[in-house]
Amino acid sequence: MNMRLTQAPIDTLCANALRFLAIDAVEAAKSGHPGMPMGMAEIAVALWTRHLKHDPADPAWADRDRFVLSNGHGSMLLYALLHLSGYELPVDELKRFRQLDSRTPGHPEVGHTPGVETTTGPLGQGLTNAVGMALAEKLLAAEFNRPGHAIVDHRTWVFLGDGCLMEGISHEAASFAGVQRLSKLICFWDDNRISIDGEVEGWFADDTPARFRAYGWNVIEAVDGHDVEAVDRAIREALANTENDIGPTLICCRTTIGHGSPGRAGTADVHGAPLGAEEIAATRAALGWTHGPFDVPDEVRHAFDARARGASRHADWQARFDAYAAAFPDEAEAFTRRMAGRLPVGFDILSNAILRGVAREAATLATRKASQQAIGRLARALPELLGGSADLTHSNLTDWPGCGVVRADQPGRHINWGVREFGMAAALNGIALHGGFLPFGATFLVFSDYARNAIRMSALMRQRVVYVMTHDSIGLGEDGPTHQPVEHIPSLRLIPGLDVWRPCDAVETQAAWNAAVLRHDGPTLLALSRQNLPHQPREADQVQAIVRGGYVLAETPSATPAPALVIIATGSEVQLAMAVREVLAAEGVGVRVVSMPCTAVFDRQSAAYRNGVMPAGVPRLVVEAAHGAGWWRTVAEGGAGGDVIALERFGESAPAARLMARFGFTADAVLERARALLAGSAGHG
């Protein structure tokens, strides 16, 4: 198989260098996906050597282009590009592809490899991350750019494959990107018509160009993906379109998976397995590649080396930014702060003052309403706060006075995502990764199932994203079991790095929001009630203790030196624990009520603090209107037995009060279980 003679020799060399770095790394690892890197090599050469704006010396440069490898299984293509472009990724790391502690894991991981913008692998999510990045760029440009001072002006480029387009999230993302006219989003479709199971015509026969045109995209069809000049022309056309604000661009590149392999090109066999020594030798012969494994000619390294170009473009931008800072010092300072992810000076003091004010108000209201009020308070201090809802704004209560709505032709701070829970969550990750905003998104808690994998990716990437999930239990009432979450809270708590807060009143809700904003190493999910919840009185030290995830809310005076029973509750069930404590206190029984709005944060506290809140040797009764499997460890750790009042079946359609009574979430029902526990006749602990 011979490369086209019309292609410049250096382009041929560059494309083949990418192919063989991927081939050799996959062979060394005896694991990986060589087919996509071999098929998209010329597309990568056209973009990375001629158009991509980046600086290998500073992968975090604010105005760099963002490059997203949505078909992340082809990670060796990206690693080869980063290595050759001059990033801190030496060839030894390519040789250690997919090995323990290497900087070249099986799929790209942000924060792990310099130059990687997002963690990709779950197909379709990279594309959706890119939509979030492009939206962030557009909104930041509208907010900070001034006539003659374009400090935000970059593009988001995406490589994607058939698998990304088959995933339903691609519909959500592409539809949203089209209606928002994200013209600086440019995607390359690797149209090789092969997936793991073989030729896709039996299960993927969409008219993809027509589909994207229907979304409002500019579509460039029939580009020969193995012709660098043809790809270059398509890129130039796409760049011209970005200036006309006519929407994002999809460049349809016809390619052959595993291009260059005599025995496997165009087949599923080359998708996800090493070629093997015999086929590698045949491919070297077919492409005229005489270099050994991981050996790259100097002229190829020179062609890819982006260090001088990147430094020059970065310096030009810095000069323009300095002029901007001289003319608009406040805006420049705010932009720098926000892109660095720093909060305003004194925000921790302000947030504490806000929390104390909410405690003084002592309001009784639904925690979803308390969340809306918290958003409004924080938004006044945090211009970077950007959020919205998946078509449930007036149920999730995510708007606030003066927020302004985001539209294609107008900036704002509130996003109507439409009924796109998964797309919303993955785009929020992209917004967070881009920088400059603190994003949040909302839906009903039960629909976290739709968004779950993107929520997991937030945690995996340690991104500061806030998920506002309302209607948190059977307490939502008449909508019935399809909308009443049961297993959702405990299952979300199992995601490593995700802080799940279920506040019991407005004070805990504000504290949860404060904690979410102050957190810099991962996402936060707020599970909020539809129904009103009573204010719980607290002393000043108790208000401050909320941010520790669990604390002593109330204790019978006679409970010292140790209570007879510790009742642990969250959310709407805290009021039941408080009512039971009052009854038992009147009978001379010492009871401690522990409010546990966030188990993950509580678990991160010192052992001394945790033991002080829940002393060993005292029976524990847990009350939560959700599946109780996760609570039995808490009961067992007490060493004195206990019980869990939970919900381990689907709900019913009825008014909330009737449902709570039916399923045992009343003060009388909890009191009965508490008495049984105290008498030593109950429990599974």
Side-chain angles (χ1 to χ4, degrees):
M1 180 180 294
N2 293 317
M3 301 295 291
R4 291 170 180 76
L5 296 178
T6 57
Q7 194 157 280
I10 187 59
D11 290 335
T12 300
L13 283 174
C14 287
N16 286 338
L18 293 175
R19 286 190 176 91
F20 282 100
L21 284 174
I23 289 170
D24 295 336
V26 171
E27 182 67 18
K30 303 301 180 186
S31 173
H33 299 75
M36 185 280 265
M38 296 171 70
M40 294 194 78
E42 282 82 12
I43 304 171
V45 169
L47 176 61
W48 280 69
T49 67
R50 303 188 184 188
H51 297 282
L52 191 69
K53 182 176 73 170
H54 62 125
D55 181 2
D58 186 1
W61 172 28
D63 202 41
R64 70 192 182 279
D65 287 351
R66 272 60 169 179
F67 175 79
V68 174
L69 191 77
S70 190
N71 41 0
H73 55 272
S75 58
M76 261 313 304
L77 177 61
L78 179 54
Y79 299 147
L81 289 164
L82 293 170
H83 166 69
L84 293 173
S85 296
Y87 285 81
E88 191 180 338
L89 192 66
V91 71
D92 285 347
E93 291 294 342
L94 274 58
K95 294 177 180 178
R96 298 178 62 230
F97 178 55
R98 289 189 164 220
Q99 303 308 300
L100 186 64
D101 296 328
S102 78
R103 301 180 81 179
T104 49
H107 292 81
E109 297 179 26
V110 68
H112 188 79
T113 309
V116 171
E117 299 283 2
T118 180
T119 301
T120 54
L123 294 177
Q125 286 199 59
L127 166 62
T128 315
N129 293 165
V131 169
M133 293 174 184
L135 179 63
E137 192 275 346
K138 183 173 182 176
L139 293 176
L140 279 174
E143 183 176 355
F144 285 100
N145 287 353
R146 298 292 184 272
H149 296 276
I151 63 165
V152 181
D153 184 15
H154 54 267
R155 286 153 184 81
T156 302
W157 308 86
V158 184
F159 280 10
L160 58 89
D162 292 331
C164 293
L165 297 179
M166 282 187 259
E167 289 285 0
I169 193 174
S170 72
H171 166 82
E172 298 182 27
S175 174
F176 181 81
V179 77
Q180 291 291 341
R181 293 206 305 273
L182 301 180
S183 297
K184 291 183 179 177
L185 174 65
I186 303 173
C187 301
F188 299 83
W189 170 32
D190 179 27
D191 180 18
N192 62 38
R193 305 180 190 182
I194 293 291
S195 65
I196 293 175
D197 281 354
E199 296 182 5
V200 300
E201 61 185 10
W203 50 87
F204 181 56
D206 301 9
D207 185 342
T208 295
R211 171 186 165 191
F212 274 75
R213 286 194 181 96
Y215 294 140
W217 286 52
N218 170 57
V219 178
I220 303 173
E221 290 190 69
V223 176
D224 184 347
H226 299 302
D227 184 336
V228 173
E229 294 300 331
V231 176
D232 180 71
R233 288 192 296 272
I235 292 173
R236 292 181 186 280
E237 181 181 341
L239 290 172
N241 291 329
T242 68
E243 303 303 323
N244 297 325
D245 193 30
I246 62 172
T249 297
L250 178 70
I251 302 175
C252 304
C253 298
R254 189 71 178 93
T255 65
T256 299
I257 191 171
H259 183 71
S261 169
R264 298 193 185 180
T267 72
D269 293 338
V270 76
H271 171 87
L275 270 66
E278 182 177 340
E279 187 63 21
I280 291 173
T283 304
R284 276 186 157 80
L287 295 177
W289 189 257
T290 59
H291 305 277
F294 300 102
D295 183 15
V296 176
D298 289 342
E299 57 265 44
V300 169
R301 292 192 177 278
H302 177 74
F304 272 111
D305 192 342
R307 289 174 292 185
R309 297 193 302 270
S312 176
R313 298 191 74 171
H314 193 165
D316 175 70
W317 177 85
Q318 188 62 54
R320 290 186 285 110
F321 184 80
D322 291 344
Y324 174 85
F328 308 99
D330 292 342
E331 289 81 354
E333 182 180 0
F335 178 79
T336 301
R337 175 187 69 77
R338 285 169 55 173
M339 291 305 294
R342 298 194 303 269
L343 294 171
V345 173
F347 177 79
D348 53 344
I349 298 173
L350 174 63
S351 63
N352 274 326
I354 291 173
L355 181 59
R356 291 193 298 270
V358 175
R360 288 192 296 270
E361 289 175 5
T364 290
L365 70 169
T367 52
R368 63 171 175 160
K369 182 63 179 178
S371 171
Q372 184 183 43
Q373 293 178 356
I375 292 169
R377 297 182 192 104
L378 294 171
R380 289 192 289 272
L382 298 171
E384 58 263 49
L385 195 63
L386 172 71
S389 170
D391 203 49
L392 291 167
T393 297
H394 301 297
S395 293
N396 301 147
L397 302 181
T398 52
D399 55 353
W400 66 95
C403 59
V405 293
V406 173
R407 295 290 184 264
D409 56 355
Q410 73 177 36
R413 298 175 65 187
H414 186 272
I415 305 171
N416 298 111
W417 290 101
V419 188
R420 301 184 180 102
E421 296 91 350
F422 193 8
M424 172 185 70
L428 293 174
N429 286 336
I431 293 171
L433 287 160
H434 180 279
F437 291 105
L438 197 170
F440 69 90
T443 186
F444 290 162
L445 179 60
V446 75
F447 299 140
S448 63
D449 284 337
Y450 285 128
R452 185 181 180 89
N453 199 263
I455 296 172
R456 180 180 186 271
M457 294 303 295
S458 301
L460 182 61
M461 295 189 288
R462 299 175 179 266
Q463 292 303 299
R464 184 171 58 176
V465 177
V466 184
Y467 295 100
V468 179
M469 302 288 178
T470 70
H471 297 58
D472 68 340
S473 74
I474 56 171
L476 68 89
E478 292 86 347
D479 274 344
T482 60
H483 284 54
Q484 293 166 359
V486 174
E487 74 281 16
H488 299 76
I489 290 174
S491 67
L492 288 163
R493 286 177 179 144
L494 292 175
I495 297 177
L498 176 66
D499 285 354
V500 178
W501 288 81
R502 188 171 184 244
C504 75
D505 65 0
V507 181
E508 286 191 358
T509 304
Q510 182 68 59
W513 259 109
N514 289 358
V517 170
L518 288 164
R519 187 181 187 203
H520 287 271
D521 61 350
T524 299
L525 186 145
L526 310 181
L528 306 170
S529 74
R530 176 181 184 269
Q531 72 273 33
N532 286 346
L533 301 182
H535 169 74
Q536 299 297 338
R538 299 172 182 83
E539 299 295 331
D541 59 339
Q542 291 174 301
V543 173
Q544 295 303 310
I546 296 172
V547 296
R548 305 186 78 164
Y551 64 103
V552 178
L553 176 63
E555 185 155 64
T556 308
S558 61
T560 55
L565 176 67
V566 174
I567 305 179
I568 305 156
T570 78
S572 53
E573 288 69 68
V574 169
Q575 61 184 312
L576 304 180
M578 294 292 283
V580 169
R581 185 200 68 85
E582 186 174 348
V583 171
L584 292 176
E587 299 174 2
V589 179
V591 175
R592 173 178 292 183
V593 173
V594 172
S595 180
M596 187 77 71
C598 186
T599 59
V601 172
F602 183 75
D603 287 345
R604 293 199 292 267
Q605 305 304 308
S606 68
Y609 177 79
R610 298 196 310 273
N611 293 335
V613 171
M614 297 190 301
V618 179
R620 298 175 179 181
L621 175 63
V622 177
V623 190
E624 184 174 63
H627 198 286
W631 285 110
W632 287 105
R633 186 187 72 175
T634 301
V635 169
E637 287 173 347
D643 198 2
V644 176
I645 302 176
L647 181 66
E648 299 185 3
R649 53 152 290 185
F650 295 121
E652 304 283 352
S653 179
R658 297 290 300 274
L659 291 172
M660 289 297 189
R662 167 68 64 87
F663 293 112
F665 293 98
T666 64
D668 287 343
V670 175
L671 178 62
E672 181 180 352
R673 298 279 283 271
R675 291 190 191 282
L677 187 57
L678 287 165
S681 61
H684 307 275

